[in-house]
Amino acid sequence: MSTAYTEASYENSVIELFENMGYTHLYGPDVERDYESPLYDEELVASLQRINPKLPSEALDDAYNKLKNFDNGELIQKNKVFMDWLQNGVPVRYFEAGEERSDIAYLVDYANVDNNSFYVANQWTFVENSERRPDVLLFLNGLPVVLVELKSPSREETDASEAYLQIRNYMHEIPSMFIYNAICVMSDQLISKAGTITSGEDRFMEWKTKDGSYENTRYAAFDTFFEGLFQKERFLDILKNFICFSNEGLKSYKILAGYHQYFAVRKAIETTRTATEEQSGKGGVFWHTQGSGKSLSMVFYAHLLQETLNSPTIVVITDRNDLDDQLFGQFSKCADFLRQTPIQARDRKHLRELLAGRKANGIIFTTMQKFEAEEDSLSDRSNIVVMADEAHRGQYGLHEKVKTVMNAAGELVSKIVHGIARIIRNSLPKATYIGFTGTPVSEQDHNTREVFGNYIDVYDMTQAVEDGATRPVYYESRVLKLSLNADILKKIDDAYDEMADEASLESIEKSKRDLAQMDELLGNEATIETLVNDILQHYEGCREHLLTGKAMIVAYSRPIAMKIYRRILEVRPNWQDKVAVVMTDSNKDPEDWREVIGNKTYKENLAKKFKDNDDPLKIAIVVDMWLTGFDVPSLATMYVYKPMKGHNLMQAIARVNRVYKDKEGGLVVDYIGIMSALKQAMADYSSRDQKNYGDMDISKGAYEKFREKLQVCRDQFHGYDYSAFYGTSDLARGKAISGAVNFILDREKATQSERFAKEAQMMTQALSLCASIAEEEERIEAAFFEAVRVLLQRLKWQGGGKKLSVAELNSRINELLKQSINSDGVKNLFEDIKEEFSIFDEKFLNDIAAMEHKNIAVEILKKLIAEQISVYKGRNLVNSKKFSELMQRVINSYLNGMLTNEQVIDELLKMAALIKEAKQRGDDLGLNEEEMAFYDALSKPDAVKEFYTNEQLAELTKELADTLRKNRTIDWQQRKAARAKMRMLVKRLLKKYKYPPEGEEEALETVLAQCETWTDNAA
């Protein structure tokens, strides 16, 4: 037994896990089937009959034919059709008594788990554009609904990311397999993640619990992932109720619920069922932090609720028109999954008509304001569920208030005003209410609990960041740049508090007067000029070239938003397409505002442009719009010039916490003094949120991390003088970088270079958040280390599991040799090397040998030769072994100090010459590359050449290759009968040529081994 824990070992562990869950194991080579069909046809036919016993064979044949023959179209569209069939059944037609009838043939029995077949298969060969064998497939009733790609947990050069790339490669090589795919999985044992065929790598998510508990979910064991996601009952539930398509214009995105969404929605369904049965009306509060997919959780909830409560009518309430539009838009994109089209109520009358005209079903969107006009009942039905978005807002009061107003005669009169929650309750007295929120309900907010009840599920900020569902948010204060004194800030706070309180007409009128004064103070031309100049300096110096450069400026008021916009264009007149104002319009707006603000269609177009990473629109100036429910994943910077508190503040800053590629986090730049409000708002968050994110200040978080990583990088280069990088000579700076690469690649620092690369990357990510407060010398030093890291990354060997052609490798190294770090003014580090080169180009090899930096020369030669050996491994058994052994001896001697840089370069050049010579021999004999592999196997024993001429061996080689081509059987080397037949054919041919000669019997095994190698890789 092998002592190594390989990818095959891990594969067996996963299979055993599935067997323990009741899945039946299939070993691909042992199953007789059609290798050009992605389906397990025999089992599919049997399952259709078992699940649909009442349907005639003609109907089942129709279903089977539809599954086998999809119309031409894009893969995603085909998969969308299949998922509809998987969840809802296949429409079929058949004739009965001479009449055509229609029915549904179900692919899965969701009500009876044991009536389905569950298979876990490995080494399942499928032939389409090429031959591929995914590591593990899960077949549900003969349908390959899950593809699992595994990577060895014991090989440093492969990880889950390699598995993701492999899955994407499969989608090109065997696309038909993915027509039937519901879930894709990538795992290297340490990290296991699930996604869909449209998921980017950053959208593959872990499954961190088997029972919905958030305890011990920081790191998830691989068994937790597989058992949590694929336990039979849950797996069927996920397939039917927690996978949907979101139609985004011309594109569709397939969405798999995260574990936090799945378990929370399931809990919400149960609390709603209980509240409906007990007629308490309190479905509870669903708190999932901003950015964690709350809107999609609401979609999954609405979908599942229809079956659970026998088609209730769902009323979705928001408190603003733009939020209504945004949430309505998400539901509309998922209308196919919901199996009904959401409707927006125009006004209270329309809402009444929509409710009165139905006894069940319907998803109706409305705003709270539409309930305020009257207080009479809209519907007495009990099968109505009210979903309130952002349920903690103060408007959800049950209690009455006394409001003082001025009558027509100018007299102050008082009247009793009912809280909006009371009005809604009076309008829908028997409905069940459930609240969804992205921020916690404060301890003082008793109204929310009275309306909705207690928490159903809490998914806090800490958990979301740990899961990769969101990114952390950091804070930078630049209030002092504006010279706003404490008195002004205190007035702003007081005015804001009074306006938010809305206790009486007098306080509102006083607030308006105070706010107008604040507008004059904060909108002062000199202040706006200072503000804009500092924003531009910060943006252009620290944020413009980060990710996609998207940024948001939150203005105090609409007039101030316009002043900021116009000042930016005064300073940057060519930014017409780069900056825009997004805010509501008014009939009282000045004429010259209209072309800037635009109408509803114009604002919708701006939203599309801002969400488009490639669009020139980079900076959005907003007041209230886009501060909630508006997601742009690449948005990383928010400049705040508006006082905000509580949930309004937390929702606003969450615009920058979305996940996007290697985004370290979002940065909030404060010009108005919101830090105290941030700390106060965090008081309502979970204890670990307060601990981890109670102080978001970059000077205490990101900057400290940056300095820590910078020191680690310095330590890695102890003994190397890079002071020339601080000078003004581009040549000297270039030499400092190339010398540093050469230094860190020294054989005595083999492990050090890997650690440096990781630490330098973390240093750069931390600097992206705190560049504005880092010292200039620190930033220059960081730029030096980043330049070294980039070059090391480009030199890094990507071998092992990745088989690159020589042409691809040459192209990559060619790019390296031409690389100039333009941002640092660094010239081509390898300018003495010519652009076009190949391992078979003698001039190129001589140029490499003549390089000043010998460690770099060694790395380049090692990579080129190792790639050529890798090519041989799949084709030429003899040369692969010979060159591998030679390469290993050379490298071992080098690492053990037996060879100097110059000597190892000389040895590697000799190897390159041998490889070149081997290639030339094939050309001289008139043999192609694969034929030459057989020739080398036939002629390996030196004594063989005494019995045959080169011409005779070449003739035998061509006939042997031709025989194998004609008789190759898929997986022959793993199936005993096919293997025996192949060996017999080879032996018969060799006997014809009286090969091997007497005394050289071991030569036969070399030839047979080469035949197996060729057959394995012929595809």
Side-chain angles (χ1 to χ4, degrees):
M1 177 184 291
S2 172
T3 57
Y5 190 76
T6 63
E7 186 176 313
S9 307
Y10 182 39
E11 184 177 299
N12 291 333
S13 300
V14 171
I15 290 168
E16 188 175 341
L17 262 182
F18 278 100
E19 288 181 308
N20 293 340
M21 288 190 284
Y23 287 66
T24 302
H25 176 219
L26 290 175
Y27 179 56
D30 291 341
V31 180
E32 293 292 339
R33 58 195 171 82
D34 178 5
Y35 283 82
E36 295 185 353
S37 171
L39 306 170
Y40 185 12
D41 294 87
E42 181 180 334
E43 180 55 36
L44 174 58
V45 171
S47 296
L48 283 170
Q49 294 171 345
R50 184 178 65 251
I51 295 169
N52 304 279
K54 296 182 179 180
L55 286 181
S57 59
E58 186 182 352
L60 299 181
D61 289 343
D62 187 26
Y64 178 74
N65 289 331
K66 283 184 174 180
L67 286 167
K68 293 283 286 185
N69 301 289
F70 276 80
D71 293 334
N72 292 331
E74 296 291 328
L75 171 61
I76 294 172
Q77 188 59 38
K78 293 178 182 178
N79 184 252
K80 188 176 179 182
V81 172
F82 169 75
M83 286 304 302
D84 180 39
W85 291 348
L86 186 71
Q87 293 171 336
N88 305 300
V90 183
V92 293
R93 291 185 177 278
Y94 61 94
F95 284 89
E96 186 175 85
E99 292 185 10
E100 187 179 47
R101 300 185 181 277
S102 60
D103 211 323
I104 300 292
Y106 293 99
L107 303 180
V108 183
D109 188 342
Y110 290 105
N112 182 5
V113 175
D114 294 334
N115 197 31
N116 302 284
S117 68
F118 297 82
Y119 287 101
V120 55
N122 66 323
Q123 300 302 313
W124 191 274
T125 300
F126 175 52
V127 180
E128 194 168 6
N129 296 332
S130 63
E131 180 182 309
R132 289 291 183 267
R133 274 192 293 275
D135 291 327
V136 174
L137 288 167
L138 300 188
F139 285 94
L140 173 63
N141 299 328
L143 300 164
V145 291
V146 178
L147 182 144
V148 182
E149 187 64 19
L150 306 173
K151 289 299 171 187
S152 171
S154 59
R155 286 174 59 187
E156 290 185 6
E157 68 270 24
T158 62
D159 56 17
S161 291
E162 292 289 318
Y164 174 77
L165 293 175
Q166 186 66 59
I167 291 171
R168 302 305 296 181
N169 175 264
Y170 285 154
M171 289 176 65
H172 291 289
E173 296 300 313
I174 49 173
S176 294
M177 178 71 74
F178 290 87
I179 293 174
Y180 311 95
N181 180 269
I183 301 171
C184 295
V185 171
M186 56 186 192
S187 175
D188 63 358
Q189 189 166 350
L190 177 64
I191 300 293
S192 300
K193 294 183 176 183
T196 72
I197 61 172
T198 67
S199 301
E201 186 180 354
D202 58 350
R203 286 299 176 185
F204 272 68
M205 300 295 289
E206 295 177 276
W207 194 278
K208 291 187 171 183
T209 178
K210 299 178 186 179
D211 60 4
S213 167
Y214 292 120
E215 295 179 11
N216 303 317
T217 52
R218 186 167 187 182
Y219 303 107
F222 78 98
D223 57 329
T224 298
F225 172 85
F226 286 107
E227 292 175 356
L229 189 54
F230 295 112
Q231 184 267 343
K232 287 182 179 180
E233 288 83 356
R234 184 172 300 139
F235 180 36
L236 293 189
D237 190 17
I238 290 168
L239 289 180
K240 181 167 176 56
N241 299 308
F242 292 90
I243 299 176
C244 71
F245 277 86
S246 180
N247 300 315
E248 312 273 346
L250 298 176
K251 291 185 177 180
S252 290
Y253 295 94
K254 187 177 180 181
I255 297 162
L256 166 68
Y259 78 93
H260 63 289
Q261 293 171 307
Y262 172 82
F263 288 107
V265 167
R266 269 290 167 198
K267 291 177 190 176
I269 290 295
E270 289 309 308
T271 60
T272 306
R273 188 208 307 267
T274 301
T276 302
E277 291 172 353
E278 296 177 355
Q279 295 188 342
S280 69
K282 296 181 181 181
V285 177
F286 187 113
W287 169 27
H288 278 205
T289 196
Q290 305 101 320
S292 61
K294 175 170 64 71
S295 296
L296 283 165
S297 294
M298 295 173 76
V299 170
F300 290 125
Y301 169 82
H303 164 81
L304 194 53
L305 198 64
Q306 294 170 61
E307 181 178 333
T308 306
L309 293 187
N310 193 22
S311 304
T313 298
I314 297 171
V315 178
V316 185
I317 299 180
T318 62
D319 71 342
R320 286 215 318 268
N321 286 330
D322 58 320
L323 291 182
D324 189 53
D325 290 340
Q326 289 162 11
L327 193 56
F328 175 75
Q330 182 60 73
F331 271 66
S332 297
K333 293 170 187 175
C334 300
D336 294 340
F337 175 68
L338 293 166
R339 299 184 72 76
Q340 54 184 314
T341 302
I343 305 170
Q344 270 182 307
R346 295 186 299 273
D347 48 37
R348 184 180 178 87
K349 180 183 177 183
H350 187 213
L351 179 60
R352 182 189 299 277
E353 292 171 357
L354 290 172
L355 289 170
R358 69 185 72 239
K359 297 297 182 183
N361 291 316
I363 300 176
I364 302 167
F365 280 74
T366 183
T367 58
M368 292 192 303
Q369 290 74 17
K370 294 182 176 67
F371 285 89
E372 291 180 326
E374 303 171 29
E375 297 183 17
D376 60 320
S377 173
L378 290 170
S379 175
D380 291 329
R381 285 169 42 213
S382 61
N383 66 334
I384 293 176
V385 175
V386 176
M387 297 169 61
D389 189 30
E390 298 309 338
H392 48 41
R393 297 188 189 275
Q395 294 97 320
Y396 285 97
L398 278 171
H399 305 293
E400 289 73 21
K401 290 183 180 180
V402 176
K403 187 172 183 179
T404 305
V405 295
M406 193 171 291
N407 64 16
E411 303 167 325
L412 287 176
V413 295
S414 298
K415 69 174 184 176
I416 296 175
V417 179
H418 297 291
I420 188 64
R422 173 61 63 199
I423 297 173
I424 296 173
R425 276 294 178 92
N426 291 341
S427 299
L428 301 170
K430 295 182 181 179
T432 298
Y433 294 78
I434 179 171
F436 290 82
T437 180
T439 54
V441 177
S442 70
E443 287 300 317
Q444 293 73 35
D445 186 0
H446 301 294
N447 286 338
T448 298
R449 288 184 172 82
E450 286 185 72
V451 176
F452 302 103
N454 295 320
Y455 282 129
I456 298 167
D457 190 76
V458 173
Y459 186 67
D460 63 14
M461 194 185 303
T462 298
Q463 192 63 56
V465 171
E466 285 180 0
D467 290 349
T470 64
R471 293 285 185 259
V473 177
Y474 296 88
Y475 168 93
E476 176 181 358
S477 174
R478 295 178 78 85
V479 178
L480 294 178
K481 299 281 184 180
L482 295 183
S483 302
L484 295 177
N485 62 42
D487 291 338
I488 292 177
L489 295 177
K490 179 69 166 60
K491 287 180 180 179
I492 293 171
D493 274 349
D494 292 344
Y496 183 83
D497 284 344
E498 289 187 14
M499 188 65 181
D501 188 35
E502 292 187 329
S504 68
L505 180 65
E506 292 94 333
S507 65
I508 292 174
E509 291 302 319
K510 181 178 182 298
S511 286
K512 287 180 179 178
R513 290 193 298 273
D514 290 343
L515 287 170
Q517 293 174 11
M518 291 305 106
D519 229 313
E520 291 178 13
L521 272 172
L522 297 179
N524 178 277
E525 294 299 331
T527 305
I528 293 297
E529 182 177 339
T530 304
L531 171 73
V532 169
N533 289 346
D534 194 71
I535 288 176
L536 291 178
Q537 177 189 343
H538 187 279
Y539 176 75
E540 293 177 319
C542 307
R543 311 299 290 177
E544 183 176 15
H545 302 293
L546 178 70
L547 302 174
T548 62
K550 301 285 184 178
M552 190 177 279
I553 300 172
V554 185
Y556 180 74
S557 64
R558 296 168 70 250
I560 286 177
M562 290 299 298
K563 288 182 179 181
I564 292 172
Y565 173 73
R566 286 175 172 157
R567 176 59 188 169
I568 288 176
L569 291 184
E570 282 178 23
V571 182
R572 300 286 185 272
N574 60 335
W575 279 24
Q576 288 283 353
D577 295 330
K578 193 168 186 173
V579 62
V581 176
V582 181
M583 62 187 189
T584 54
D585 56 315
S586 166
N587 292 332
K588 298 178 181 180
D589 288 340
E591 187 68 29
D592 58 349
W593 283 24
R594 297 196 178 279
E595 61 179 292
V596 177
I597 301 174
N599 56 21
K600 181 179 180 180
T601 302
Y602 174 73
K603 285 191 272 283
E604 288 173 351
N605 187 50
L606 283 181
K608 291 177 183 177
K609 289 165 69 67
F610 200 61
K611 290 183 177 184
D612 182 353
N613 291 328
D614 299 321
D615 193 273
L617 177 59
K618 300 298 181 185
I619 301 173
I621 303 170
V622 305
V623 180
D624 292 307
M625 292 183 69
W626 290 11
L627 290 183
T628 53
F630 183 76
D631 293 344
V632 179
S634 69
L635 177 63
T637 314
M638 175 178 280
Y639 297 99
V640 177
Y641 193 56
K642 175 182 180 177
M644 292 178 285
K645 291 189 175 183
H647 59 265
N648 288 324
L649 173 59
M650 300 308 291
Q651 286 177 330
I653 68 174
R655 295 314 99 206
V656 295
N657 79 344
R658 298 328 194 237
V659 174
Y660 181 77
K661 294 185 178 180
D662 59 353
K663 178 177 169 183
E664 176 73 4
L667 179 64
V668 173
V669 183
D670 174 23
Y671 288 96
I672 204 75
I674 59 171
M675 177 50 92
S676 60
L678 265 175
K679 290 182 177 179
Q680 186 176 346
M682 285 301 299
D684 293 321
Y685 279 70
S686 66
S687 57
R688 60 181 189 166
D689 278 357
Q690 293 175 44
K691 175 184 176 183
N692 294 326
Y693 303 107
D695 192 344
M696 305 175 188
D697 192 343
I698 55 169
S699 65
K700 299 174 184 176
Y703 186 48
E704 288 182 358
K705 181 179 178 182
F706 161 67
R707 297 186 71 179
E708 173 196 332
K709 298 304 177 185
L710 180 63
Q711 186 58 52
V712 172
C713 292
R714 289 170 180 156
D715 294 343
Q716 297 289 307
F717 280 86
H718 177 71
Y720 177 74
D721 181 9
Y722 51 91
S723 57
F725 189 79
Y726 295 95
T728 57
S729 167
D730 284 346
L731 179 60
R733 285 150 64 88
K735 287 184 176 181
I737 294 174
S738 55
V741 174
N742 190 58
F743 175 83
I744 202 71
L745 284 175
D746 186 86
R747 61 172 170 260
E748 295 178 0
K749 301 181 179 66
T751 57
Q752 201 168 315
S753 64
E754 282 293 319
R755 186 190 173 198
F756 164 75
K758 292 177 182 176
E759 297 289 340
Q761 184 171 29
M762 287 189 281
M763 173 203 68
T764 301
Q765 288 178 326
L767 180 61
S768 72
L769 293 163
C770 62
S772 63
I773 65 171
E775 300 292 336
E776 182 182 10
E777 189 169 316
E778 291 175 327
R779 296 199 306 271
I780 292 174
E781 190 174 13
F784 164 75
F785 288 130
E786 174 63 3
V788 175
R789 184 193 73 83
V790 169
L791 288 178
L792 278 176
Q793 195 66 23
R794 292 179 182 274
L795 273 171
K796 182 182 176 184
W797 169 233
Q798 298 290 332
K802 291 187 83 171
K803 294 183 179 180
L804 302 177
S805 68
V806 176
E808 288 173 318
L809 187 74
N810 285 354
S811 174
R812 291 189 183 191
I813 295 182
N814 189 28
E815 286 302 313
L816 164 67
L817 301 183
K818 293 187 292 184
Q819 174 67 26
S820 295
I821 307 174
N822 297 323
S823 60
D824 293 323
V826 178
K827 302 299 182 185
N828 191 334
L829 302 184
F830 308 101
E831 56 193 358
D832 50 338
I833 304 299
K834 303 307 176 210
E835 290 189 2
E836 300 303 327
F837 62 90
S838 160
I839 194 171
F840 303 114
D841 183 341
E842 189 172 347
K843 179 66 170 64
F844 163 70
L845 295 176
N846 291 335
D847 285 346
I848 289 290
M851 284 182 69
E852 177 185 353
H853 300 292
K854 301 304 180 186
N855 285 336
I856 297 176
V858 169
E859 289 298 311
I860 293 176
L861 284 171
K862 277 168 57 181
K863 297 346 173 212
L864 283 169
I865 293 172
E867 169 58 21
Q868 187 59 45
I869 292 172
S870 177
V871 170
Y872 274 128
K873 277 182 181 177
R875 300 174 186 172
N876 191 315
L877 197 67
V878 174
N879 275 354
S880 168
K881 185 176 181 182
K882 179 172 73 175
F883 291 134
S884 292
E885 291 173 352
L886 184 56
M887 178 77 161
Q888 197 59 53
R889 284 201 301 271
V890 172
I891 298 305
N892 287 345
S893 297
Y894 172 62
L895 293 176
N896 292 331
M898 297 167 63
L899 295 176
T900 64
N901 277 326
E902 288 76 7
Q903 288 171 326
V904 78
I905 289 172
D906 188 52
E907 291 298 320
L908 290 173
L909 289 174
K910 288 177 182 177
M911 279 195 65
L914 288 174
I915 293 173
K916 183 178 179 182
E917 181 185 325
K919 182 177 182 295
Q920 186 60 45
R921 281 193 307 115
D923 295 341
D924 294 342
L925 290 167
L927 301 176
N928 62 30
E929 188 178 4
E930 72 176 21
E931 290 169 343
M932 194 60 200
F934 290 117
Y935 181 91
D936 287 332
L938 288 165
S939 60
K940 180 175 183 276
D942 290 335
V944 168
K945 296 176 183 176
E946 298 176 8
F947 297 91
Y948 305 96
T949 65
N950 284 338
E951 289 73 17
Q952 287 174 317
L953 285 173
E955 183 182 349
L956 171 54
T957 293
K958 290 184 175 181
E959 190 169 347
L960 177 59
D962 189 53
T963 299
L964 285 172
R965 288 191 201 100
K966 291 178 179 176
N967 292 279
R968 185 173 70 89
T969 304
I970 292 171
D971 284 340
W972 75 276
Q973 77 282 12
Q974 293 173 340
R975 298 171 66 187
K976 291 180 180 178
R979 181 186 180 115
K981 179 182 177 183
M982 184 66 75
R983 291 175 71 94
M984 181 188 70
L985 286 170
V986 172
K987 285 182 178 181
R988 185 181 298 165
L989 174 63
L990 296 177
K991 187 175 181 181
K992 170 183 170 183
Y993 284 87
K994 298 181 180 179
Y995 185 98
E998 190 175 349
E1000 299 296 336
E1001 283 72 20
E1002 72 276 11
L1004 176 61
E1005 289 307 313
T1006 302
V1007 175
L1008 289 171
Q1010 174 59 43
C1011 291
E1012 292 186 18
T1013 298
W1014 178 85
T1015 309
D1016 281 345
N1017 293 279

